[in-house]
Amino acid sequence: MPSPDPYAPVESLKGIGPATAARLAGAGIVRVTDLLLLLPTRYECVRPAASLAAVTGREGLRAIDVTVRKVVRRWLRRRGRSMVVAELEDAGGGAGRAVWFNQRWVADRLEPGSRVRLTGTVREGKGGVPELLNPRIGPVDGPVEAAVRPVYPSVAGFPAGRVRRMVEAALETLPGLPDPLPDSVRRGEGLPGLAETLEALHRPLWEGDEAAFRLTAGTTSWQRRLAFDTMLAMTGAAARRRAARSRMTAPACVPAGTGTSGLEQFAPFPLTGAQRRALEEIVAGLAGPAPMARLLQGDVGSGKTVVAALAALAAIRSGFQVAFMAPTEILASQHAVSLGRYLDAAGVTLRLLTGSVSGRERDAVLSGLAGGAVDLVVGTHALVQEGVGFARLGLAIVDEQHRFGVLQRRALWSKGDSPHLLVMTATPIPRSLALTLYGDLDLSVIDELPPGRRPVRTFVRDDAARERVLTFLERELAEGGKAFIVFPRIGDDGDGNGAGGMALEAAAPALRRRFARFGVAAVHGRMPAEDRAAALDAFRAGSVRLLLATTVVEVGVDVPDATVMVIESAERFGLGQLHQLRGRVGRGGGRRAWCILVAGGGGGRGSLERLEALASCRDGFEVAERDLELRGAGDFDGVRQWGAGAGRHGSLLRYGSLLPRVVAASRRLAGSGELEAVLAALARLHGGECGSDSGTAPD
Ligand code: ADP
Ligand code: MG
């Protein structure tokens, strides 16, 4: 007989006919391997009990052989509810009882005078009599032994017991199951084989020690092995892109006669040590033979912009053009102004290209880019539109890159001939997670704030304290401060029932009246870009000291003397987002800066705890870790923002420490040319599209 094939349809298994197979297919279970990968959700340990009395009140499942004395069926008063009660006697003559609810048929299996083996939990029933609740009934068959059994989820309406029998049939095919991981990787990582792993998870070994079993069941090498496979599939696509890039030829950016110190003289201030280190890493990458793809991470206000600008200068001085893409018009114009201020001196020709640049002005920018007269273009996603072409794009920079989709990043990159790529983010994301999501990028981190920053003092206040918050705001403004109030929404439309927290337009009239003497303006995404820019300019210049805003100010808005950030309905925001918003104040190092999180009472349980966590953490990475801890990865701001399927990553985070090893392994496999075969085998096994993305553009 040929050995059964794990990749055959489930119908090839004994006991699974076409009807069953069709139902299983509805739940995504088509091949035998799908059953093999259907893992138990938990394990049940059953221990023998010598007498009924001995086990009352103890935890866990017990198996005991008893004689049935009497069986009574009862209807309960609530309609349709029934009860079967059996009087029992154990081997030592001890009395007890078993009770089943809504299982009238069990009475037929309980012949008075017969012996049965019951498995269930035992509690103290009426009159102190030991009572088994809904026990399973089995034949008396040899001595009662301790056992552990896997418990499966019910699938496609099949009860757990039926699912178990189907999985057991599938296990017969295990000897024919190929292992997607090459031996070299398994040996190197000390990982067990796949068949061995599945066998162990479906038929766990039991040595009679329940505590020891529980201790190991969750964290064994078996689980680790499966996590490794999944993570390898995830990081594999990145490793492939990385390998493909390493075979490309990059624009060689070796600026004549200027090391990083030559670049640094154009910065308006001395760089921090961390900035200098990041710049050195980037400049080295730009000089390499293959295109660089680098993620520059740094907390809000850590000064990523100047590093990017000097990197741009290195490319420009080597004769290339640079595109600098920012997520909002506000940010793009601000960058254009501030970069212009110091790159002018280096002879750089800079232009701005956003949605509001149109007509003759736009034509002039486009021809300057196509002809090569423009060295540096700063813009929004308008940069990736059709019709925008470069004479020799050497470096693409994406600021606040989590605000862009993969496609936009790739589109920008594709405007050149395998240019270098620098993406920046202040959304702190734990390193392990960054490696999974962006395994093909090199990483530079700015882990130091410019001198003179004072930490922003953060407080959480509830709705009831709003008046006190406003009084505080009055005092701050009177003493020369500048403040933002950020709202989760613009108006009352959208969700209709006002469930989205407080709206800017609803609160604005009263605030405008109350704070009129300080100058009040509003910015939000539904106003014309000029009005927004005008409001920000007024805020920067000081004729407006209170700015009402939505999260359009979340990224990049740089008003160094802003001192207070009030966030309404703060529970509506993710922690990462709140941290970003907080980073808008206290950038000047003058007055003490404050962030006040006003909790609107929405967001349910745990939201106050999250806000308090933010109040107690200053560092963005710490905030990210806390967020992860408190909300679980499914909701983790960073993950959602980074556009990753949270669920899968969520469970994998438990194995975060494995990630660097997985990434290293996938890069090694890419290097030895084995990666494609491994990814294909993993995809076959998991029935998915593991690493199927064949693009070479960096993510
Ligand atoms: P982010 O990393 O959040 O993008 P920015 O690049 O906007 O930060 O910098 C934040 C502020 O810090 C800006 O006002 C910038 O001019 C200032 N800054 C950056 N680097 C330094 C430095 N080395 N010394 C002093 N100020 C700096
Ligand atoms: Mg920035």
Side-chain angles (χ1 to χ4, degrees):
M1 207 179 80
S3 80
D5 176 9
Y7 283 108
V10 286
E11 262 185 88
S12 66
L13 297 176
K14 217 172 66 198
I16 299 187
T20 303
R23 264 170 80 183
L24 287 175
I29 295 176
V30 177
R31 297 162 316 166
V32 176
T33 45
D34 299 328
L35 279 173
L36 290 174
L37 291 171
L38 186 68
L39 297 177
T41 47
R42 61 190 175 87
Y43 299 92
E44 249 177 28
C45 298
V46 180
R47 283 174 298 166
S51 75
L52 283 163
V55 296
T56 311
R58 301 267 179 80
E59 294 219 330
L61 284 176
R62 296 296 175 151
I64 185 165
D65 292 343
V66 292
T67 306
V68 179
R69 286 291 165 225
K70 187 176 162 200
V71 180
V72 184
R73 302 179 199 218
R74 279 193 214 141
W75 287 105
L76 296 183
R77 219 170 304 148
R78 237 181 331 129
R79 264 191 69 203
R81 295 258 288 161
S82 69
M83 184 176 168
V84 175
V85 181
E87 307 282 347
L88 312 170
E89 187 181 314
D90 63 28
R97 141 171 95 217
V99 184
W100 291 264
F101 290 97
N102 295 326
Q103 299 178 49
R104 287 179 61 78
W105 49 267
V106 302
D108 302 330
R109 296 181 55 189
L110 298 167
E111 194 62 36
S114 69
R115 295 191 73 216
V116 289
R117 178 165 300 169
L118 298 181
T119 307
T121 52
V122 190
R123 63 178 189 186
E124 199 174 277
K126 238 186 266 161
V129 179
E131 188 173 275
L132 285 145
L133 188 64
N134 292 322
R136 274 196 300 273
I137 306 168
V140 172
D141 173 19
V144 187
E145 271 171 8
V148 59
R149 22 153 109 228
V151 180
Y152 292 89
S154 93
V155 170
F158 292 112
R162 178 78 205 276
V163 174
R164 188 176 72 227
R165 285 191 297 280
M166 293 194 278
V167 172
E168 267 163 17
L171 287 170
E172 299 306 312
T173 69
L174 267 188
L177 183 68
D179 195 325
L181 274 195
D183 282 353
S184 60
V185 175
R186 268 178 26 221
R187 266 199 310 275
E189 301 297 329
L191 294 168
L194 180 65
E196 190 189 343
T197 297
L198 293 175
E199 168 93 30
L201 289 169
H202 288 295
R203 295 176 175 150
L205 279 180
W206 164 253
E207 277 144 19
D209 182 345
E210 185 170 339
F213 178 77
R214 284 199 194 292
L215 201 64
T216 51
T219 55
T220 50
S221 56
W222 320 118
Q223 310 275 2
R224 216 171 142 259
R225 160 66 210 251
L226 294 183
F228 195 95
D229 282 20
T230 314
M231 288 193 279
L232 185 61
M234 283 177 5
T235 56
R240 174 195 286 144
R241 282 193 297 273
R242 196 184 167 84
R245 248 192 347 264
S246 72
R247 292 189 288 272
M248 297 177 188
T249 308
C253 298
V254 190
T258 44
T260 47
S261 55
L263 296 170
E264 203 183 322
Q265 61 173 319
F266 292 100
F269 31 65
L271 297 186
T272 62
Q275 283 173 318
R276 192 166 300 135
R277 209 161 42 239
L279 181 62
E280 276 164 11
E281 288 166 2
I282 295 165
V283 167
L286 294 177
M292 170 185 83
R294 183 170 293 271
L295 174 64
L296 176 59
Q297 272 199 336
D299 209 344
V300 186
S302 60
K304 294 180 289 295
T305 319
V306 68
V307 172
L310 298 179
L313 187 56
I316 292 164
R317 296 205 142 186
S318 311
F320 293 100
Q321 291 170 297
V322 176
F324 191 134
M325 186 164 73
T328 64
E329 291 211 8
I330 295 177
L331 191 50
S333 347
Q334 193 176 277
H335 279 339
V337 171
S338 64
L339 298 194
R341 259 201 311 265
Y342 47 95
L343 291 185
D344 249 6
V348 169
T349 306
L350 182 156
R351 291 289 178 273
L352 177 69
L353 185 63
T354 64
S356 342
V357 177
S358 59
R360 299 244 299 275
E361 201 187 341
R362 182 168 189 268
D363 293 343
V365 176
L366 294 194
S367 68
L369 289 173
V374 172
D375 300 313
L376 171 60
V377 64
V378 180
T380 54
H381 53 272
L383 289 175
V384 300
Q385 280 164 358
E386 237 177 278
V388 181
F390 293 80
R392 38 174 209 289
L393 181 64
L395 169 63
I397 300 175
V398 181
D399 192 17
E400 305 294 349
Q401 76 97 35
H402 61 274
R403 288 290 197 97
F404 292 99
V406 175
L407 293 180
Q408 284 167 316
R409 297 195 293 265
R410 286 191 186 160
L412 185 64
W413 188 79
S414 309
K415 296 271 178 191
D417 187 6
S418 59
H420 299 285
L421 176 77
L422 179 65
V423 299
M424 304 194 279
T425 186
T427 296
I429 176 162
R431 193 187 157 80
S432 57
L433 203 50
L435 270 175
T436 328
L437 302 178
Y438 285 85
D440 64 330
L441 304 187
D442 294 318
L443 192 59
S444 290
V445 179
I446 304 182
D447 53 3
E448 178 185 351
L449 292 181
R453 292 288 166 80
R454 281 206 273 170
V456 180
R457 300 183 71 171
T458 306
F459 292 98
V460 182
R461 293 290 178 260
D462 63 15
D463 245 356
R466 180 168 289 107
E467 180 49 36
R468 293 220 313 276
V469 171
L470 294 181
T471 308
F472 167 80
L473 206 54
E474 256 165 348
R475 202 176 56 230
E476 266 295 305
L477 293 175
E479 287 173 9
K482 274 185 190 174
F484 296 91
I485 304 183
V486 171
F487 298 85
R489 295 180 306 140
I490 303 173
D492 255 325
D493 48 9
D495 54 29
N497 55 12
M502 195 184 249
L504 187 154
E505 279 172 352
L511 291 170
R512 282 182 187 276
R513 275 195 304 277
R514 177 165 183 165
F515 292 93
R517 66 194 160 111
F518 302 112
V520 183
V523 289
H524 57 71
R526 257 190 252 146
M527 356 186 336
E530 313 84 270
D531 295 0
R532 237 169 22 217
L536 273 175
D537 284 344
F539 186 56
R540 204 169 284 125
S543 57
V544 162
R545 302 255 295 285
L546 177 61
L547 195 65
L548 313 180
T550 56
T551 51
V552 291
V553 298
E554 175 190 335
V555 289
V557 168
D558 190 22
V559 178
D561 57 351
T563 50
V564 184
M565 169 64 66
V566 176
I567 303 171
E568 283 287 354
S569 304
E571 74 283 355
R572 303 274 160 198
F573 300 94
L575 277 194
Q577 211 175 9
L578 291 172
H579 180 68
Q580 285 272 334
L581 285 167
R582 173 168 67 177
R584 298 301 123 215
V585 296
R587 295 162 84 91
R591 286 181 66 79
R592 177 170 269 304
W594 306 83
C595 174
I596 301 165
L597 307 169
V598 182
R605 241 168 19 96
S607 63
L608 269 187
E609 193 187 353
R610 285 199 308 118
L611 298 182
E612 293 291 354
L614 184 77
S616 63
C617 306
R618 285 180 198 159
D619 172 75
F621 283 85
E622 205 183 318
V623 170
E625 304 278 2
R626 286 288 285 152
D627 204 14
L628 197 55
E629 227 171 82
L630 287 169
R631 294 204 293 177
D635 255 343
F636 177 56
D637 216 34
V639 176
R640 256 189 327 183
Q641 288 188 0
W642 286 59
R648 265 174 90 194
H649 292 95
S651 51
L652 291 176
L653 284 173
R654 284 172 43 220
Y655 300 92
S657 58
L658 256 187
L659 261 167
R661 307 200 60 88
V662 176
V663 171
S666 66
R667 289 182 186 172
R668 266 199 315 278
L669 289 169
S672 65
E674 292 169 280
L675 183 66
E676 290 310 313
V678 173
L679 292 181
L682 284 170
R684 181 170 185 228
L685 176 65
H686 293 280
E689 299 283 293
C690 297
S692 66
D693 170 2
S694 57
T696 51
D699 250 6

